Amino acid sequence: SQKIEQNSEALNIQEGKTATLTCNYTNYSPAYLQWYRQDPGRGPVFLLLIRENEKEKRKERLKVTFDTTLKQSLFHITASQPADSATYLCALDGTNAGKSTFGDGTTLTVKP
Amino acid sequence: DTAVSQTPKYLVTQMGNDKSIKCEQNLGHDTMYWYKQDSKKFLKIMFSYNNKELIINETVPNRFSPKSPDKAHLNLHINSLELGDSAVYFCASGDRASYQPQHFGDGTRLSIL
């Protein structure tokens, strides 16, 4: 069966460091992958999308990589700030356009 | 100018009752979704409507019935509420074409007593 795993439930890092979050999947051939941010009491907010034929995508301090051989995506936040503290979700989308399957999230805490 | 709005934000009710959650989007998207997020933060799709037509219906009890009066609205009605229905329910919208992100509401926290 399809499975999506995000590296750890919680990740704590020091301000200024780079946070790296992992999304691994099995039994899935996604057409593209998305990363969302979710704050407590709020809905997920879209951050970045990367297609299966793309290796890397950047947006300001955010970078996403997508390795379809390893079946893995890495999400990096450089120069992290306490305001980056949130839960980050990866979502995979296959050929059934519009149906996203979400991972269980990693809660990032950036300490000042 | 909330893009995806759902009401109510909190819903506390007794087991066995029937309740509805409403969702509206003003983004002009053609597809709307209902997700359930359990206590472990796992976000699972329940239903999806494209231009008022049901296109995704995951394994959800018949007690849950979505209704889309038009493409800007998708409501969720739940009959005979059970303890296991306690969760946060999120509405989302997007365009069905590939490579489009979804926009989420802020959720309805349903608590069954």
Side-chain angles (χ1 to χ4, degrees):
Chain A
S1 61
Q2 296 171 348
K3 200 172 178 184
I4 303 170
E5 284 183 331
Q6 296 193 233
N7 55 325
S8 57
E9 209 172 298
L11 181 64
N12 298 316
I13 65 167
Q14 208 63 38
E15 183 176 7
K17 301 291 186 185
T18 295
T20 298
L21 285 66
T22 306
C23 179
N24 294 301
Y25 58 93
T26 54
N27 297 324
Y28 209 119
S29 296
Y32 58 103
L33 185 147
Q34 303 179 64
W35 283 90
Y36 288 79
R37 168 184 172 140
Q38 186 174 22
D39 291 286
R42 306 300 298 272
V45 174
F46 170 75
L47 296 174
L48 278 170
L49 181 151
I50 187 164
R51 304 181 187 194
E52 60 179 333
N53 60 351
E54 296 176 318
K55 296 289 185 191
E56 184 179 297
K57 222 37 168 327
R58 290 175 185 260
K59 179 183 175 183
E60 296 170 355
R61 295 185 295 112
L62 309 179
K63 183 177 88 171
V64 172
T65 63
F66 193 11
D67 189 325
T68 54
T69 302
L70 290 178
K71 296 186 182 298
Q72 181 182 79
S73 173
L74 299 179
F75 177 77
H76 306 273
I77 307 175
T78 58
S80 60
Q81 305 164 1
D84 295 326
S85 299
T87 296
Y88 292 86
L89 303 166
C90 69
L92 274 65
D93 293 73
T95 54
N96 184 3
K99 180 180 175 180
S100 299
T101 302
F102 282 80
D104 52 3
T106 296
T107 299
L108 173 68
T109 302
V110 180
K111 300 185 178 179
Chain B
D1 277 4
T2 306
V4 180
S5 59
Q6 42 182 125
T7 54
K9 190 169 175 64
Y10 299 97
L11 191 50
V12 182
T13 189
Q14 301 275 0
M15 204 164 51
N17 283 350
D18 303 338
K19 290 292 177 187
S20 292
I21 307 172
K22 294 186 176 183
C23 180
E24 176 182 3
Q25 57 99 1
N26 63 5
L27 296 167
H29 291 152
D30 61 9
T31 305
M32 296 184 71
Y33 310 82
W34 278 111
Y35 287 85
K36 179 180 180 180
Q37 189 170 47
D38 60 26
S39 57
K40 293 186 178 179
K41 306 297 184 188
F42 182 55
L43 196 64
K44 187 172 166 59
I45 191 165
M46 300 172 67
F47 301 104
S48 173
Y49 270 75
N50 175 256
N51 286 319
K52 302 196 298 174
E53 180 187 345
L54 181 66
I55 55 169
I56 295 174
N57 184 352
E58 294 296 285
T59 308
V60 177
N62 291 338
R63 299 182 294 105
F64 290 79
S65 52
K67 280 193 172 48
S68 182
D70 55 63
K71 72 174 192 176
H73 295 84
L74 180 62
N75 304 322
L76 183 65
H77 188 76
I78 316 170
N79 289 327
S80 303
L81 281 157
E82 299 177 357
L83 288 174
D85 297 334
S86 295
V88 182
Y89 292 84
F90 286 99
C91 176
S93 73
D95 279 327
R96 195 177 172 204
S98 291
Y99 314 123
Q100 298 301 313
Q102 293 176 34
H103 297 255
F104 285 80
D106 279 338
T108 295
R109 183 174 294 277
L110 175 62
S111 299
I112 310 300
L113 305 177

